[in-house]
Coordinates of all heavy atoms in Angstrom, one line a residue:
M1 N -7.6 -53.0 -31.6 CA -6.7 -52.8 -32.7 C -5.9 -51.5 -32.5 O -6.5 -50.5 -32.3 CB -7.5 -52.8 -34.0 CG -6.7 -52.6 -35.2 SD -7.6 -52.5 -36.7 CE -7.5 -54.2 -37.3
Q2 N -4.6 -51.6 -32.6 CA -3.7 -50.5 -32.4 C -3.2 -50.0 -33.7 O -2.8 -50.7 -34.6 CB -2.5 -50.9 -31.6 CG -1.6 -49.8 -31.2 CD -1.5 -49.6 -29.7 OE1 -2.1 -50.3 -29.0 NE2 -0.9 -48.5 -29.4
Q3 N -3.3 -48.6 -33.9 CA -2.9 -48.0 -35.1 C -1.5 -47.4 -34.9 O -1.3 -46.8 -33.8 CB -3.8 -46.9 -35.6 CG -5.1 -47.5 -36.1 CD -6.0 -46.3 -36.6 OE1 -5.8 -45.2 -36.2 NE2 -6.9 -46.7 -37.5
N4 N -0.7 -47.5 -35.8 CA 0.6 -46.8 -35.8 C 0.5 -45.5 -36.4 O 0.2 -45.4 -37.6 CB 1.7 -47.6 -36.5 CG 2.2 -48.8 -35.7 OD1 2.0 -48.9 -34.5 ND2 2.8 -49.8 -36.3
I5 N 0.7 -44.4 -35.6 CA 0.6 -43.1 -36.2 C 2.1 -42.6 -36.2 O 2.7 -42.4 -35.1 CB -0.3 -42.2 -35.3 CG1 -1.7 -42.8 -35.3 CG2 -0.2 -40.8 -35.8 CD1 -2.6 -42.0 -34.4
N6 N 2.6 -42.3 -37.4 CA 3.9 -41.8 -37.5 C 3.9 -40.3 -37.6 O 3.2 -39.7 -38.4 CB 4.6 -42.3 -38.8 CG 4.8 -43.8 -38.8 OD1 4.9 -44.4 -37.7 ND2 4.7 -44.5 -39.9
P7 N 4.6 -39.7 -36.6 CA 4.6 -38.2 -36.7 C 5.4 -37.7 -37.9 O 6.2 -38.5 -38.4 CB 5.3 -37.8 -35.4 CG 6.1 -39.0 -35.0 CD 5.3 -40.2 -35.5
A8 N 5.2 -36.5 -38.2 CA 6.0 -35.9 -39.4 C 7.5 -36.0 -39.0 O 7.9 -35.8 -37.9 CB 5.6 -34.5 -39.6
P9 N 8.3 -36.3 -40.0 CA 9.8 -36.3 -39.7 C 10.3 -34.9 -39.2 O 9.9 -33.9 -39.7 CB 10.4 -36.7 -41.0 CG 9.4 -36.3 -42.1 CD 8.0 -36.5 -41.4
A10 N 11.1 -35.0 -38.2 CA 11.6 -33.8 -37.6 C 12.6 -33.1 -38.6 O 13.5 -33.8 -39.1 CB 12.3 -34.0 -36.3
R11 N 12.4 -31.8 -38.7 CA 13.4 -31.0 -39.5 C 14.4 -30.4 -38.6 O 14.0 -29.8 -37.6 CB 12.7 -30.0 -40.4 CG 11.8 -30.5 -41.4 CD 11.3 -29.4 -42.3 NE 10.6 -29.9 -43.4 CZ 9.7 -29.3 -44.1 NH1 9.3 -28.1 -43.7 NH2 9.0 -29.9 -45.1
P12 N 15.6 -30.5 -38.9 CA 16.6 -29.9 -38.0 C 16.5 -28.4 -38.0 O 16.3 -27.8 -39.1 CB 18.0 -30.4 -38.5 CG 17.7 -30.8 -39.9 CD 16.3 -31.2 -40.0
L13 N 16.6 -27.8 -36.9 CA 16.7 -26.4 -36.8 C 18.1 -25.9 -36.7 O 18.9 -26.5 -36.1 CB 15.9 -25.9 -35.5 CG 14.4 -26.2 -35.5 CD1 13.8 -25.8 -34.1 CD2 13.7 -25.5 -36.6
V14 N 18.4 -24.8 -37.4 CA 19.7 -24.2 -37.4 C 19.7 -22.8 -36.8 O 18.8 -22.0 -37.2 CB 20.2 -24.2 -38.9 CG1 21.5 -23.5 -39.0 CG2 20.3 -25.5 -39.5
S15 N 20.6 -22.5 -36.0 CA 20.7 -21.2 -35.3 C 21.1 -20.2 -36.3 O 22.1 -20.3 -37.0 CB 21.7 -21.3 -34.2 OG 21.9 -20.0 -33.6
I16 N 20.3 -19.1 -36.4 CA 20.7 -17.9 -37.2 C 21.1 -16.7 -36.4 O 21.2 -15.6 -36.9 CB 19.6 -17.6 -38.2 CG1 18.3 -17.3 -37.5 CG2 19.4 -18.7 -39.2 CD1 17.3 -16.7 -38.4
G17 N 21.4 -17.0 -35.1 CA 21.9 -16.0 -34.2 C 20.9 -15.4 -33.2 O 19.7 -15.3 -33.5
Y18 N 21.4 -15.1 -32.0 CA 20.6 -14.4 -31.0 C 19.3 -15.2 -30.6 O 18.3 -14.6 -30.4 CB 20.3 -13.0 -31.4 CG 21.6 -12.2 -31.7 CD1 21.9 -12.0 -33.0 CD2 22.5 -11.9 -30.7 CE1 23.1 -11.3 -33.3 CE2 23.7 -11.2 -31.0 CZ 24.0 -10.9 -32.3 OH 25.2 -10.3 -32.5
G19 N 19.4 -16.5 -30.5 CA 18.3 -17.3 -30.1 C 17.2 -17.5 -31.2 O 16.1 -18.0 -30.8
N20 N 17.5 -17.3 -32.4 CA 16.6 -17.5 -33.5 C 17.1 -18.7 -34.3 O 18.3 -18.9 -34.5 CB 16.6 -16.2 -34.4 CG 16.1 -15.0 -33.6 OD1 15.0 -15.0 -33.1 ND2 16.9 -14.0 -33.6
F21 N 16.1 -19.5 -34.8 CA 16.4 -20.7 -35.5 C 15.5 -20.7 -36.8 O 14.4 -20.1 -36.8 CB 16.0 -21.9 -34.7 CG 16.9 -22.0 -33.5 CD1 16.6 -21.3 -32.3 CD2 18.1 -22.8 -33.5 CE1 17.4 -21.4 -31.2 CE2 18.9 -22.9 -32.4 CZ 18.6 -22.2 -31.2
V22 N 16.0 -21.5 -37.8 CA 15.2 -21.7 -39.0 C 15.3 -23.2 -39.4 O 16.2 -23.8 -39.1 CB 15.8 -20.8 -40.2 CG1 17.2 -21.2 -40.5 CG2 14.9 -20.8 -41.4
A23 N 14.2 -23.7 -40.0 CA 14.1 -25.1 -40.4 C 15.1 -25.3 -41.6 O 14.9 -24.6 -42.6 CB 12.7 -25.5 -40.7
A24 N 16.1 -26.1 -41.4 CA 17.1 -26.3 -42.5 C 16.5 -26.7 -43.8 O 16.9 -26.3 -44.9 CB 18.1 -27.3 -42.0
G25 N 15.4 -27.5 -43.7 CA 14.8 -28.1 -45.0 C 14.1 -27.0 -45.8 O 13.7 -27.2 -46.9
R26 N 13.8 -25.9 -45.2 CA 13.1 -24.8 -45.9 C 14.0 -23.8 -46.6 O 13.5 -23.0 -47.3 CB 12.2 -24.1 -44.8 CG 11.1 -24.9 -44.3 CD 9.9 -24.5 -45.0 NE 8.7 -25.1 -44.4 CZ 7.6 -25.1 -45.0 NH1 7.5 -24.6 -46.2 NH2 6.5 -25.7 -44.5
V27 N 15.2 -23.8 -46.3 CA 16.1 -22.8 -46.8 C 16.5 -23.1 -48.2 O 16.9 -24.2 -48.6 CB 17.4 -22.7 -45.9 CG1 18.4 -21.7 -46.5 CG2 17.1 -22.3 -44.5
V28 N 16.3 -22.1 -49.1 CA 16.6 -22.2 -50.5 C 18.0 -21.5 -50.8 O 18.8 -22.0 -51.6 CB 15.5 -21.6 -51.4 CG1 15.9 -21.5 -52.8 CG2 14.2 -22.3 -51.2
A29 N 18.2 -20.4 -50.2 CA 19.4 -19.6 -50.4 C 19.8 -18.8 -49.2 O 19.0 -18.3 -48.5 CB 19.3 -18.7 -51.6
V30 N 21.1 -18.6 -49.1 CA 21.7 -17.7 -48.0 C 22.6 -16.7 -48.8 O 23.5 -17.1 -49.4 CB 22.5 -18.4 -47.0 CG1 23.0 -17.4 -46.0 CG2 21.6 -19.5 -46.3
I31 N 22.2 -15.4 -48.8 CA 22.9 -14.4 -49.7 C 23.3 -13.2 -48.9 O 22.7 -12.9 -47.8 CB 22.0 -14.1 -50.9 CG1 20.6 -13.7 -50.5 CG2 22.0 -15.2 -51.9 CD1 19.7 -13.3 -51.6
S32 N 24.3 -12.5 -49.4 CA 24.7 -11.3 -48.8 C 23.7 -10.1 -49.1 O 23.2 -10.1 -50.2 CB 26.1 -10.9 -49.4 OG 26.5 -9.6 -48.9
P33 N 23.5 -9.2 -48.2 CA 22.4 -8.2 -48.4 C 22.9 -6.9 -49.1 O 22.2 -6.0 -49.2 CB 22.1 -7.8 -47.0 CG 23.3 -8.0 -46.2 CD 24.0 -9.2 -46.8
D34 N 24.1 -7.0 -49.7 CA 24.7 -5.7 -50.2 C 24.3 -5.3 -51.6 O 24.3 -4.1 -51.9 CB 26.3 -5.9 -50.2 CG 26.8 -6.1 -48.8 OD1 26.2 -5.6 -47.9 OD2 27.8 -6.8 -48.7
S35 N 23.9 -6.2 -52.4 CA 23.5 -5.9 -53.8 C 22.1 -5.2 -53.9 O 21.3 -5.5 -53.1 CB 23.6 -7.1 -54.7 OG 22.5 -8.0 -54.5
A36 N 22.0 -4.4 -55.0 CA 20.7 -3.7 -55.2 C 19.5 -4.7 -55.4 O 18.4 -4.4 -54.8 CB 20.8 -2.8 -56.4
P37 N 19.7 -5.8 -56.2 CA 18.6 -6.7 -56.3 C 18.1 -7.3 -55.0 O 16.9 -7.5 -54.8 CB 19.1 -7.8 -57.3 CG 20.2 -7.1 -58.0 CD 20.8 -6.1 -57.1
V38 N 19.1 -7.6 -54.1 CA 18.7 -8.2 -52.8 C 18.0 -7.2 -52.0 O 17.0 -7.5 -51.3 CB 20.0 -8.8 -52.1 CG1 19.6 -9.2 -50.7 CG2 20.6 -9.9 -52.9
K39 N 18.4 -5.9 -52.0 CA 17.8 -4.9 -51.3 C 16.4 -4.7 -51.7 O 15.4 -4.4 -51.0 CB 18.6 -3.6 -51.4 CG 19.9 -3.6 -50.6 CD 20.7 -2.3 -50.8 CE 22.0 -2.4 -50.0 NZ 22.8 -1.2 -50.2
R40 N 16.1 -4.8 -53.1 CA 14.8 -4.7 -53.6 C 13.9 -5.8 -53.2 O 12.8 -5.7 -52.8 CB 14.8 -4.7 -55.2 CG 14.8 -3.3 -55.8 CD 14.5 -3.4 -57.3 NE 15.4 -4.3 -58.0 CZ 16.6 -3.9 -58.5 NH1 17.0 -2.7 -58.3 NH2 17.3 -4.8 -59.1
M41 N 14.5 -7.0 -53.1 CA 13.8 -8.2 -52.7 C 13.4 -8.1 -51.2 O 12.2 -8.4 -50.9 CB 14.7 -9.5 -52.9 CG 14.0 -10.8 -52.6 SD 15.0 -12.2 -53.1 CE 16.5 -11.9 -52.1
V42 N 14.2 -7.5 -50.4 CA 13.9 -7.3 -49.0 C 12.8 -6.3 -48.9 O 11.9 -6.5 -48.1 CB 15.2 -6.9 -48.2 CG1 14.8 -6.4 -46.8 CG2 16.1 -8.1 -48.1
S43 N 12.9 -5.2 -49.6 CA 11.9 -4.2 -49.6 C 10.5 -4.7 -50.0 O 9.5 -4.4 -49.4 CB 12.3 -3.0 -50.5 OG 11.4 -2.0 -50.5
E44 N 10.5 -5.5 -51.1 CA 9.2 -6.1 -51.5 C 8.7 -7.1 -50.5 O 7.4 -7.1 -50.3 CB 9.4 -6.8 -52.9 CG 9.7 -5.9 -54.0 CD 10.1 -6.6 -55.3 OE1 10.0 -7.8 -55.3 OE2 10.4 -5.9 -56.3
A45 N 9.5 -7.8 -49.9 CA 9.1 -8.8 -48.8 C 8.5 -8.0 -47.6 O 7.5 -8.4 -47.1 CB 10.2 -9.6 -48.3
R46 N 9.1 -6.8 -47.3 CA 8.5 -6.0 -46.2 C 7.1 -5.5 -46.6 O 6.2 -5.6 -45.8 CB 9.5 -4.8 -46.0 CG 9.0 -4.0 -44.8 CD 10.1 -2.9 -44.4 NE 11.2 -3.6 -43.6 CZ 12.4 -3.6 -44.0 NH1 12.8 -3.1 -45.1 NH2 13.3 -4.2 -43.2
E47 N 7.0 -5.1 -47.9 CA 5.6 -4.6 -48.3 C 4.6 -5.7 -48.3 O 3.4 -5.5 -48.0 CB 5.8 -4.0 -49.7 CG 6.5 -2.7 -49.8 CD 6.8 -2.2 -51.2 OE1 6.3 -2.8 -52.1 OE2 7.6 -1.2 -51.3
N48 N 5.1 -6.9 -48.7 CA 4.2 -8.1 -48.8 C 4.0 -8.8 -47.5 O 3.2 -9.8 -47.4 CB 4.7 -9.1 -49.8 CG 4.7 -8.6 -51.2 OD1 4.0 -7.6 -51.6 ND2 5.6 -9.1 -52.1
R49 N 4.6 -8.3 -46.5 CA 4.5 -8.9 -45.1 C 5.0 -10.3 -45.0 O 4.5 -11.1 -44.3 CB 3.1 -8.7 -44.6 CG 2.7 -7.2 -44.6 CD 1.3 -7.0 -44.0 NE 1.2 -7.3 -42.6 CZ 1.6 -6.5 -41.6 NH1 2.2 -5.3 -41.9 NH2 1.5 -6.8 -40.3
T50 N 6.1 -10.6 -45.8 CA 6.7 -11.9 -45.8 C 8.1 -11.8 -45.3 O 8.9 -12.8 -45.4 CB 6.7 -12.6 -47.2 OG1 7.3 -11.8 -48.1 CG2 5.3 -12.9 -47.6
L51 N 8.5 -10.7 -44.7 CA 9.8 -10.5 -44.1 C 9.9 -10.8 -42.6 O 9.0 -10.4 -41.9 CB 10.2 -9.0 -44.3 CG 11.6 -8.7 -43.8 CD1 12.7 -9.3 -44.8 CD2 11.8 -7.2 -43.8
V52 N 10.9 -11.6 -42.2 CA 11.1 -11.9 -40.8 C 12.5 -11.3 -40.5 O 13.5 -11.7 -41.0 CB 11.1 -13.4 -40.6 CG1 11.4 -13.7 -39.1 CG2 9.8 -14.0 -41.0
D53 N 12.5 -10.3 -39.6 CA 13.7 -9.7 -39.1 C 14.2 -10.3 -37.9 O 13.6 -10.1 -36.8 CB 13.4 -8.2 -38.9 CG 14.7 -7.4 -38.6 OD1 15.8 -8.0 -38.4 OD2 14.6 -6.2 -38.7
A54 N 15.2 -11.1 -38.0 CA 15.8 -11.8 -36.8 C 17.1 -11.3 -36.4 O 18.0 -11.9 -35.8 CB 15.9 -13.3 -37.2
T55 N 17.3 -10.0 -36.7 CA 18.6 -9.3 -36.4 C 18.7 -8.8 -35.0 O 19.8 -8.5 -34.5 CB 18.9 -8.2 -37.4 OG1 17.9 -7.2 -37.2 CG2 19.0 -8.7 -38.8
C56 N 17.6 -8.7 -34.3 CA 17.6 -8.1 -32.9 C 18.2 -6.7 -32.9 O 18.9 -6.4 -32.0 CB 18.3 -9.0 -32.0 SG 17.5 -10.6 -31.7
G57 N 17.9 -5.9 -33.9 CA 18.4 -4.5 -34.0 C 19.8 -4.4 -34.5 O 20.3 -3.2 -34.5
R58 N 20.4 -5.4 -34.8 CA 21.8 -5.4 -35.3 C 21.8 -5.2 -36.8 O 20.8 -5.4 -37.5 CB 22.6 -6.6 -34.9 CG 22.8 -6.5 -33.3 CD 23.3 -7.9 -32.8 NE 23.5 -7.8 -31.4 CZ 22.6 -8.1 -30.5 NH1 21.4 -8.4 -30.9 NH2 22.9 -8.1 -29.2
R59 N 23.0 -5.0 -37.4 CA 23.2 -4.9 -38.8 C 22.9 -6.2 -39.5 O 23.3 -7.3 -39.1 CB 24.6 -4.5 -39.1 CG 24.9 -4.2 -40.6 CD 26.3 -3.6 -40.7 NE 26.7 -3.5 -42.1 CZ 27.5 -4.3 -42.8 NH1 28.0 -5.3 -42.1 NH2 27.7 -4.2 -44.0
T60 N 22.2 -6.1 -40.7 CA 21.8 -7.3 -41.5 C 23.1 -7.8 -42.2 O 23.7 -7.0 -43.0 CB 20.7 -7.0 -42.4 OG1 19.5 -6.7 -41.7 CG2 20.4 -8.3 -43.3
R61 N 23.5 -9.0 -42.0 CA 24.7 -9.5 -42.7 C 24.4 -10.7 -43.6 O 25.2 -11.2 -44.3 CB 25.7 -9.9 -41.7 CG 26.2 -8.7 -41.0 CD 27.5 -8.9 -40.2 NE 28.0 -7.7 -39.7 CZ 28.7 -7.6 -38.6 NH1 29.0 -8.6 -37.9 NH2 29.1 -6.4 -38.2
A62 N 23.1 -11.3 -43.5 CA 22.7 -12.4 -44.3 C 21.2 -12.3 -44.6 O 20.5 -11.9 -43.7 CB 23.1 -13.7 -43.7
V63 N 20.9 -12.7 -45.8 CA 19.4 -12.7 -46.2 C 19.2 -14.2 -46.5 O 19.9 -14.8 -47.3 CB 19.1 -11.8 -47.4 CG1 17.7 -12.0 -47.8 CG2 19.4 -10.4 -47.0
I64 N 18.2 -14.8 -45.8 CA 17.8 -16.2 -46.0 C 16.5 -16.2 -46.8 O 15.5 -15.6 -46.3 CB 17.7 -16.9 -44.7 CG1 19.1 -16.8 -43.9 CG2 17.4 -18.4 -44.9 CD1 19.0 -17.1 -42.4
V65 N 16.5 -17.0 -47.9 CA 15.3 -17.1 -48.7 C 14.8 -18.5 -48.4 O 15.5 -19.5 -48.5 CB 15.6 -17.0 -50.2 CG1 14.3 -17.1 -51.0 CG2 16.3 -15.6 -50.4
T66 N 13.5 -18.7 -48.1 CA 12.9 -20.0 -47.9 C 12.0 -20.4 -49.0 O 11.7 -19.6 -49.9 CB 12.0 -19.9 -46.6 OG1 10.9 -19.1 -46.8 CG2 12.8 -19.4 -45.4
N67 N 11.6 -21.7 -49.0 CA 10.8 -22.2 -50.1 C 9.3 -21.8 -50.0 O 8.6 -22.0 -50.9 CB 10.9 -23.7 -50.2 CG 10.4 -24.4 -48.9 OD1 10.0 -23.8 -48.0 ND2 10.5 -25.7 -48.9
S68 N 9.0 -21.1 -48.9 CA 7.7 -20.5 -48.8 C 7.6 -19.0 -49.2 O 6.7 -18.3 -48.9 CB 7.2 -20.7 -47.4 OG 8.0 -20.0 -46.5
A69 N 8.7 -18.6 -49.8 CA 8.9 -17.2 -50.3 C 9.0 -16.2 -49.1 O 8.8 -15.0 -49.3 CB 7.7 -16.8 -51.2
H70 N 9.3 -16.6 -48.0 CA 9.6 -15.7 -46.9 C 11.1 -15.4 -46.9 O 12.0 -16.1 -47.4 CB 9.3 -16.4 -45.5 CG 7.9 -16.5 -45.2 ND1 7.1 -17.5 -45.7 CD2 7.1 -15.7 -44.5 CE1 5.9 -17.3 -45.3 NE2 5.8 -16.2 -44.5
I71 N 11.4 -14.1 -46.5 CA 12.7 -13.6 -46.5 C 13.1 -13.4 -45.0 O 12.3 -12.7 -44.3 CB 12.9 -12.3 -47.2 CG1 12.4 -12.4 -48.7 CG2 14.3 -11.8 -47.2 CD1 13.2 -13.4 -49.5
I72 N 14.2 -14.0 -44.5 CA 14.6 -13.8 -43.2 C 15.9 -13.1 -43.1 O 16.9 -13.4 -43.8 CB 14.8 -15.2 -42.5 CG1 13.5 -16.0 -42.6 CG2 15.2 -15.1 -41.1 CD1 13.6 -17.5 -42.3
L73 N 16.0 -12.1 -42.3 CA 17.2 -11.3 -42.1 C 18.0 -11.8 -40.9 O 17.4 -12.0 -39.8 CB 16.9 -9.8 -41.9 CG 16.1 -9.2 -43.0 CD1 15.8 -7.7 -42.6 CD2 16.7 -9.3 -44.3
S74 N 19.3 -12.0 -41.0 CA 20.1 -12.5 -39.9 C 21.3 -11.5 -39.7 O 21.8 -10.9 -40.6 CB 20.6 -13.9 -40.2 OG 21.6 -14.3 -39.2
A75 N 21.7 -11.4 -38.5 CA 22.9 -10.6 -38.1 C 24.2 -11.4 -38.3 O 25.3 -10.8 -38.1 CB 22.8 -10.0 -36.7
L76 N 24.1 -12.7 -38.6 CA 25.3 -13.5 -38.8 C 25.7 -13.4 -40.2 O 24.9 -13.1 -41.1 CB 25.1 -14.9 -38.4 CG 24.7 -15.3 -37.0 CD1 24.5 -16.8 -36.9 CD2 25.8 -14.8 -36.1
M77 N 27.0 -13.6 -40.5 CA 27.5 -13.5 -41.9 C 26.9 -14.7 -42.7 O 26.6 -15.8 -42.1 CB 29.1 -13.7 -41.9 CG 29.8 -12.6 -41.2 SD 29.6 -11.0 -42.0 CE 30.6 -11.3 -43.5
A78 N 26.7 -14.5 -44.0 CA 26.1 -15.5 -44.8 C 26.9 -16.8 -44.8 O 26.4 -17.9 -44.8 CB 26.0 -14.9 -46.3
E79 N 28.3 -16.7 -44.8 CA 29.1 -17.8 -44.7 C 28.9 -18.6 -43.4 O 28.9 -19.9 -43.5 CB 30.6 -17.4 -44.9 CG 31.5 -18.6 -44.9 CD 33.0 -18.2 -45.1 OE1 33.2 -16.9 -45.2 OE2 33.8 -19.0 -45.2
T80 N 28.7 -18.0 -42.3 CA 28.5 -18.6 -41.1 C 27.2 -19.4 -41.1 O 27.1 -20.6 -40.7 CB 28.5 -17.6 -39.9 OG1 29.7 -16.9 -39.9 CG2 28.3 -18.3 -38.6
V81 N 26.1 -18.8 -41.6 CA 24.8 -19.4 -41.7 C 24.9 -20.6 -42.6 O 24.4 -21.7 -42.3 CB 23.7 -18.5 -42.2 CG1 22.4 -19.2 -42.4 CG2 23.6 -17.3 -41.2
A82 N 25.6 -20.5 -43.8 CA 25.8 -21.6 -44.7 C 26.5 -22.7 -44.1 O 26.2 -23.9 -44.3 CB 26.5 -21.1 -46.0
N83 N 27.6 -22.4 -43.3 CA 28.3 -23.5 -42.7 C 27.5 -24.2 -41.7 O 27.5 -25.5 -41.5 CB 29.6 -22.9 -42.0 CG 30.7 -22.6 -43.0 OD1 30.7 -23.2 -44.0 ND2 31.5 -21.7 -42.6
R84 N 26.6 -23.5 -40.9 CA 25.7 -24.2 -40.0 C 24.7 -25.1 -40.7 O 24.3 -26.1 -40.2 CB 25.0 -23.1 -39.1 CG 26.0 -22.5 -38.1 CD 25.3 -21.4 -37.3 NE 26.3 -20.8 -36.4 CZ 26.0 -20.0 -35.4 NH1 24.7 -19.6 -35.2 NH2 26.9 -19.5 -34.7
L85 N 24.2 -24.6 -41.8 CA 23.3 -25.4 -42.6 C 23.9 -26.7 -43.1 O 23.3 -27.7 -43.2 CB 22.7 -24.6 -43.8 CG 21.7 -23.6 -43.4 CD1 21.4 -22.6 -44.6 CD2 20.4 -24.2 -43.0
N86 N 25.2 -26.6 -43.5 CA 26.0 -27.8 -43.9 C 26.5 -28.6 -42.8 O 27.1 -29.6 -43.1 CB 27.1 -27.3 -44.8 CG 26.7 -26.8 -46.1 OD1 25.7 -27.2 -46.7 ND2 27.4 -25.8 -46.7
G87 N 26.2 -28.2 -41.6 CA 26.6 -29.0 -40.4 C 28.1 -28.8 -40.0 O 28.6 -29.6 -39.3
K88 N 28.7 -27.7 -40.5 CA 30.0 -27.4 -40.1 C 30.0 -26.2 -39.2 O 29.2 -25.3 -39.3 CB 30.9 -27.0 -41.4 CG 31.0 -28.1 -42.3 CD 31.8 -27.7 -43.5 CE 31.9 -28.7 -44.6 NZ 32.5 -28.2 -45.8
E89 N 30.9 -26.2 -38.2 CA 31.1 -25.1 -37.3 C 32.5 -24.6 -37.5 O 33.4 -25.4 -37.7 CB 30.8 -25.5 -35.9 CG 29.4 -25.7 -35.6 CD 28.5 -24.4 -35.6 OE1 29.1 -23.4 -35.2 OE2 27.4 -24.5 -35.9
I90 N 32.7 -23.3 -37.4 CA 34.1 -22.8 -37.5 C 34.6 -22.5 -36.1 O 34.0 -21.8 -35.3 CB 34.1 -21.4 -38.3 CG1 33.5 -21.7 -39.7 CG2 35.5 -20.9 -38.4 CD1 34.3 -22.6 -40.6
A91 N 35.7 -23.1 -35.7 CA 36.3 -23.0 -34.4 C 36.9 -21.6 -34.3 O 37.1 -20.9 -35.3 CB 37.3 -24.1 -34.2
A92 N 37.2 -21.2 -33.1 CA 37.8 -19.9 -32.8 C 39.1 -19.7 -33.6 O 39.5 -18.6 -33.9 CB 38.0 -19.7 -31.3
N93 N 39.9 -20.8 -33.8 CA 41.1 -20.7 -34.5 C 41.0 -20.7 -36.0 O 42.0 -20.7 -36.7 CB 42.1 -21.8 -34.0 CG 41.5 -23.2 -34.3 OD1 40.5 -23.3 -35.0 ND2 42.2 -24.2 -33.9
G94 N 39.7 -20.7 -36.5 CA 39.5 -20.6 -38.0 C 39.4 -22.0 -38.7 O 39.2 -22.1 -39.9
E95 N 39.6 -23.1 -37.9 CA 39.6 -24.4 -38.5 C 38.2 -24.9 -38.5 O 37.4 -24.7 -37.5 CB 40.5 -25.4 -37.8 CG 42.0 -25.0 -37.9 CD 42.9 -26.0 -37.1 OE1 42.4 -27.0 -36.7 OE2 44.0 -25.6 -36.9
E96 N 37.8 -25.6 -39.5 CA 36.4 -26.2 -39.6 C 36.3 -27.4 -38.7 O 37.3 -28.2 -38.5 CB 36.1 -26.6 -41.0 CG 35.9 -25.4 -41.9 CD 35.4 -25.8 -43.3 OE1 35.2 -27.0 -43.5 OE2 35.3 -24.9 -44.1
D97 N 35.2 -27.6 -38.0 CA 35.0 -28.7 -37.1 C 33.7 -29.4 -37.6 O 32.7 -28.8 -37.8 CB 34.7 -28.1 -35.7 CG 34.7 -29.2 -34.7 OD1 35.5 -30.1 -34.8 OD2 34.0 -29.0 -33.7
E98 N 33.9 -30.7 -37.8 CA 32.7 -31.5 -38.3 C 32.1 -32.4 -37.3 O 32.4 -32.8 -36.3 CB 33.1 -32.3 -39.5 CG 33.4 -31.4 -40.7 CD 33.4 -32.2 -42.0 OE1 32.4 -32.9 -42.2 OE2 34.3 -32.0 -42.7

């Protein structure tokens, strides 16, 4: 008797820059790191050890919040990460490519 074992459905991974990826299904928000509440949220995540720094030493330009309460820092602009999550890429000439 053969059993059908269905693997868990694959979640698409989205590049957040410099060889780092995040599971698209886990992302709750992509926000700019400039406001004081976001800076506090990043600081608290660092203290709680739920911060993932994926900037590779570069300036933080986007903060990604996941449904597991992890905070991920990215060196890509928040708009770029959001476009990648939506399946859109911005071409070099500024036009969206689907």
Side-chain angles (χ1 to χ4, degrees):
M1 181 183 261
Q2 184 117 6
Q3 290 182 337
N4 285 341
I5 299 174
N6 294 331
R11 290 187 176 155
L13 295 177
V14 176
S15 173
I16 58 169
Y18 304 104
N20 299 300
F21 296 85
V22 66
R26 293 260 186 194
V27 175
V28 175
V30 179
I31 50 183
S32 174
D34 299 328
S35 70
V38 175
K39 289 178 182 179
R40 262 193 311 274
M41 186 171 56
V42 168
S43 177
E44 289 172 6
R46 185 172 280 119
E47 291 172 8
N48 296 336
R49 304 183 65 81
T50 58
L51 181 72
V52 179
D53 188 349
T55 61
C56 294
R58 292 167 178 87
R59 181 172 176 257
T60 299
R61 294 193 173 155
V63 177
I64 302 166
V65 182
T66 66
N67 61 1
S68 62
H70 284 83
I71 305 295
I72 304 168
L73 305 180
S74 173
L76 296 182
M77 297 293 292
E79 184 178 1
T80 303
V81 175
N83 285 335
R84 289 180 181 186
L85 285 167
N86 288 328
K88 297 178 185 175
E89 289 289 329
I90 304 297
N93 60 5
E95 296 179 14
E96 290 185 4
D97 189 36
E98 291 196 50

